[in-house]
Amino acid sequence: MPEHTATSRLRLFGLCFFLQILNILLFAVFVRYSPESSPGLCPSRLNCSRRNPDSGFQQPRFQGVHIQVLLSLGLLVAFLSRYGPGSAATSILITAFAIQWALLIQGIFHFFLNGKIYVGAQSMVSADFCTAAVLISTGAVLGRVNPVQLLLLALLEVTVCSLNEYILLSLMGVRDSGGSLTIHTFGAYFGLVVSRLLYQPHKDKKKREEQQDMGQQGDVFAVAGTIFLWIFWPSFTSTTTFHDNAENWAVLNTYFSLVASTVATFILSPVLYEESTPRMVQIQDATLAGMAVMGMAGEMLVTPFGALIAGFLVGLISPLGFRFFTPVLHSRLKIQDTCGVHNIHGLPGILGALLGTLLTLLATADTYGDRLELLFPLVAQGSWSVTYQALMQLSALLLTLLLAALGGCITG
């Protein structure tokens, strides 16, 4: 055992050293400061449409997104009593590496000009988004992989995630400001496929017992994670919107959805688990599900009561998934989903994509006004019909599932 531990430490030291030196060299050769703080300096060939030129306006948004990645999602993968402190530390390691790697890979797709990658506020936000998908995948394999394997997972997933984002947002013209597809759906099913290929029958029973015995430490992590979710996730969802009014819609719709999903947990969990009050972890799961469903639709015309309905329904689906569908994943599909990412990210992400597709069909100049140009410029210009835009939104869901499955298979 001591020899095995020493070997593991050496492997982690060697991989961390190699990857960090590689990042430093690549940054030295390719990465430069972006001219986005001065709109007039933005070269015509650089894709400046993906960021707001006002860096002062972006800074509070970046802080909200970064706090979400480090604390909310980091604590989400630390709720098991056995893995709590270690998994929290590992999530910080994964975050630190994934942000650097995402800046490089996403920079090639979005901010590359004359052989250089230009980084600024929006590129940092995009890197945090991609890192969030990696942390979601980590939740599906927690307890069965070591930090070395997680670093390799991050290396591969960031690459495929960036490719998926580029195809969806830049080539297909899909709207997904809050990441129903690019973050929640991709991260969940990437991790689930990896989990399937790493299936270990002898750990199946032990894992379920650990999930049932979360203890006081698990509740503490869940309380902290839930509070940060409530405070910062609406700004997370609205970060990539182009206009103040679009941001307001995204914030409001996200809040309406999360409050309804939380109430739904108090309705269903006592019936399913015979407890008078749901555990904090269950409330955290419902909060995540309620906000994941607004990832694509949040900036669209959901209406307040529509956001309440969507949040309420997904708040019911999440505990039902844990109670009935998760055992099927274990027994039939041999998928060991440690943190239940399928129920709190995967299913809500898919439902959010379907809701966004439906709302796209309702996007007209009469209903959206000037916002139509901001959300669907090709539709507003007459180049695409609303039906074709909706078809692109729906096709993006299928493509995301395909790339997540292929990437997870290769990684696994």
Side-chain angles (χ1 to χ4, degrees):
M1 182 65 69
E3 293 181 0
H4 176 72
T5 304
T7 302
S8 299
R9 289 200 301 267
L10 287 175
R11 287 176 179 173
L12 180 60
F13 160 78
L15 185 60
C16 286
F17 181 81
F18 171 76
L19 291 177
Q20 188 58 47
I21 294 299
L22 176 64
N23 280 332
I24 291 174
L25 293 176
L26 292 175
F27 267 65
V29 175
F30 295 106
V31 178
R32 299 292 183 269
Y33 291 124
S34 172
E36 64 181 356
S37 59
S38 300
L41 298 179
C42 187
S44 59
R45 291 178 56 193
L46 188 62
N47 184 0
C48 298
S49 63
R50 289 176 51 80
R51 48 78 179 165
N52 189 312
D54 186 354
S55 59
F57 179 66
Q58 286 287 355
Q59 185 178 0
R61 290 181 167 191
F62 167 71
Q63 292 173 350
V65 171
H66 202 57
I67 289 174
Q68 283 294 84
V69 171
L70 276 173
L71 291 178
S72 300
L73 292 177
L75 292 174
L76 176 67
V77 300
F79 74 92
L80 297 181
S81 58
R82 178 179 177 184
Y83 308 120
S87 60
T90 302
S91 70
I92 294 177
L93 169 64
I94 300 305
T95 300
F97 167 71
I99 287 176
Q100 298 176 72
W101 191 242
L103 283 171
L104 291 167
I105 301 301
Q106 291 182 332
I108 294 174
F109 290 125
H110 300 295
F111 307 102
F112 194 75
L113 177 65
N114 295 331
K116 303 299 179 183
I117 296 172
Y118 293 89
V119 298
Q122 188 57 43
S123 57
M124 286 296 296
V125 169
S126 298
D128 271 332
F129 271 42
C130 190
T131 302
V134 175
L135 290 176
I136 291 171
S137 299
T138 301
V141 298
L142 182 65
R144 286 169 289 121
V145 292
N146 57 46
V148 171
Q149 293 170 317
L150 286 177
L151 280 173
L152 294 176
L153 181 147
L155 178 71
L156 295 170
E157 182 170 3
V158 165
T159 304
V160 183
C161 180
S162 300
L163 174 63
N164 180 65
E165 181 191 67
Y166 174 70
I167 295 174
L168 265 57
L169 305 186
S170 297
L171 299 184
M172 298 177 61
V174 172
R175 291 297 303 171
D176 188 31
S177 64
S180 281
L181 291 177
T182 55
I183 299 175
H184 298 283
T185 302
F186 183 89
Y189 289 100
F190 187 101
L192 290 173
V193 173
V194 174
S195 179
R196 173 62 183 87
L197 294 174
L198 299 180
Y199 177 68
Q200 299 171 329
H202 64 281
K203 288 191 175 182
D204 189 44
K205 181 178 180 180
K206 181 185 293 186
K207 182 189 71 61
R208 288 199 299 267
E209 291 174 351
E210 288 168 348
Q211 282 182 308
Q212 295 171 358
D213 184 22
M214 293 174 288
Q216 183 177 1
Q217 176 179 276
D219 285 336
V220 171
F221 279 121
V223 169
T226 304
I227 290 174
F228 282 107
L229 285 171
W230 274 71
I231 295 174
F232 292 104
W233 196 280
S235 63
F236 182 97
T237 305
S238 65
T239 299
T240 58
T241 55
F242 294 118
H243 193 270
D244 288 350
N245 289 335
E247 177 193 1
N248 293 337
W249 277 15
V251 171
L252 291 172
N253 289 331
T254 302
Y255 266 120
F256 294 145
S257 179
L258 76 89
V259 295
S261 64
T262 301
V263 172
T265 300
F266 281 84
I267 295 173
L268 201 53
S269 291
V271 177
L272 296 176
Y273 300 101
E274 298 181 354
E275 296 176 351
S276 58
T277 304
R279 290 179 178 267
M280 276 303 304
V281 171
Q282 296 166 350
I283 299 174
Q284 183 188 44
D285 293 344
T287 303
L288 275 167
M291 291 181 288
V293 78
M294 283 293 114
M296 179 184 290
E299 62 179 352
M300 301 180 187
L301 188 59
V302 184
T303 71
F305 79 90
L308 288 174
I309 293 174
F312 181 75
L313 291 178
V314 81
L316 296 177
I317 290 173
S318 179
L320 285 172
F322 276 103
R323 183 66 177 83
F324 298 108
F325 196 73
T326 297
V328 176
L329 289 179
H330 290 314
S331 60
R332 300 292 178 85
L333 301 179
K334 309 301 180 185
I335 296 176
Q336 297 167 310
D337 185 6
T338 307
C339 292
V341 298
H342 179 264
N343 302 310
I344 58 181
H345 294 285
L347 281 178
I350 290 177
L351 293 175
L354 295 176
L355 176 60
T357 300
L358 176 62
L359 293 172
T360 301
L361 289 172
L362 305 178
T364 64
D366 293 335
T367 57
Y368 277 67
D370 294 338
R371 290 173 51 87
L372 186 64
E373 176 68 28
L374 299 173
L375 294 180
F376 306 114
L378 293 177
V379 173
Q381 297 166 9
S383 301
W384 285 3
S385 66
V386 174
T387 303
Y388 188 79
Q389 179 70 54
L391 181 61
M392 288 294 101
Q393 302 286 128
L394 183 60
S395 300
L397 171 60
L398 301 177
L399 180 60
T400 297
L401 292 173
L402 175 62
L403 289 177
L406 291 176
C409 184
I410 295 172
T411 303

